């Protein structure tokens, strides 16, 4: 992200964004507005996060679009890029996040499962045509659900 894009993203965050810490001590950076093209540009410029549609909750209101970043390292990349362009209040909030981020232990990179091959599930089991999951994965899911029900009682 170049300086012009960082300044644009900082202005968008200042006007429409939020950086929230949940009760579970996780953070989320988000921008919500009715202009889909602006939200998609924020996603493109930052290279991180997701874009989702937020359905209207009140008659007469327009649907909104939200760009949200949930991974702490991705949030850090964004706030490091825009920090110098922020005002005092938003800058202090970003500084709180940076202090929290620096206090967290380093988490090793995780590896994703390989993409499913044709005719096999993501775990490598043979798939049954027309079924949502292979037999082995479906059986495991049913077993976990049964275990949850028996331990909850």
């Amino acid at each position: 992200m170049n300086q012009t894009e960082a300044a644009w993203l900082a202005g968008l965050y200042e006007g429409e964004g939020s950086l929230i810490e949940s009760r579970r001590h996780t953070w989320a950076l988000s921008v919500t507005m009715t202009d889909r093209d602006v939200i998609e540009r924020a996603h493109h410029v930052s290279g991180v996060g997701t874009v989702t549609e937020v359905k209207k909750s009140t008659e007469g209101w327009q649907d909104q679009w939200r760009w949200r970043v949930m991974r702490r390292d991705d949030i850090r990349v964004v706030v490091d890029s825009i920090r110098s362009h922020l005002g005092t209040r938003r800058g202090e909030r970003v500084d709180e996040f940076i202090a929290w981020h620096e206090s967290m232990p380093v988490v090793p990179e995780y590896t994703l499962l390989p993409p499913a091959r044709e005719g096999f599930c993501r775990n490598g089991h043979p798939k049954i045509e027309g079924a949502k999951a292979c037999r082995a994965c479906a059986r495991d899911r049913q077993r976990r659900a049964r275990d949850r029900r028996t331990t909850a009682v």
Side-chain angles (χ1 to χ4, degrees):
M1 167 179 351
N2 63 40
Q3 284 298 315
T4 304
E5 293 170 331
W8 176 83
L9 191 57
L12 183 66
Y13 168 70
E14 281 270 3
E16 302 289 335
S18 62
L19 181 59
I20 299 170
E21 181 181 15
S22 74
R23 291 181 187 156
R24 294 176 45 176
H25 304 291
T26 60
W27 290 76
L29 183 144
S30 67
V31 175
T32 305
M33 62 185 346
T34 59
D35 299 322
R36 181 180 184 177
D37 60 322
V38 175
I39 293 297
E40 288 176 345
R41 181 175 175 204
H43 181 245
H44 177 74
V45 164
S46 69
V48 295
T50 58
V51 174
T52 55
E53 184 176 13
V54 181
K55 294 288 185 182
K56 62 182 179 179
S57 60
T58 303
E59 190 63 37
W61 288 12
Q62 292 181 342
D63 291 341
Q64 295 181 323
W65 294 89
R66 177 183 297 137
W67 167 62
R68 183 173 11 199
V69 184
M70 300 286 290
R71 289 189 66 232
R72 67 182 186 192
D73 293 337
D74 291 346
I75 296 171
R76 181 64 189 262
V77 168
V78 173
V79 299
D80 282 346
S81 300
I82 67 173
R83 175 62 183 97
S84 62
H85 304 287
L86 296 176
T88 306
R89 186 171 64 94
R90 297 286 183 155
E92 288 172 355
R93 185 67 173 158
V94 164
D95 292 341
E96 285 178 43
F97 168 78
I98 291 172
W100 172 84
H101 185 265
E102 289 176 349
S103 72
M104 296 301 294
V106 175
V107 177
E109 284 295 316
Y110 59 90
T111 57
L112 296 175
L113 292 171
R117 294 187 329 238
E118 186 68 34
F120 293 88
C121 76
R122 291 183 62 86
N123 294 319
H125 305 128
K127 230 185 210 180
I128 299 171
E129 192 169 330
K132 289 184 180 179
C134 69
R135 279 196 178 120
C137 291
R139 189 173 46 246
D140 288 345
R141 188 171 50 254
Q142 289 170 348
R143 186 177 297 126
R144 286 192 305 271
R146 185 181 61 240
D147 291 345
R148 280 193 303 271
R149 285 192 305 268
T150 58
T151 56
V153 173

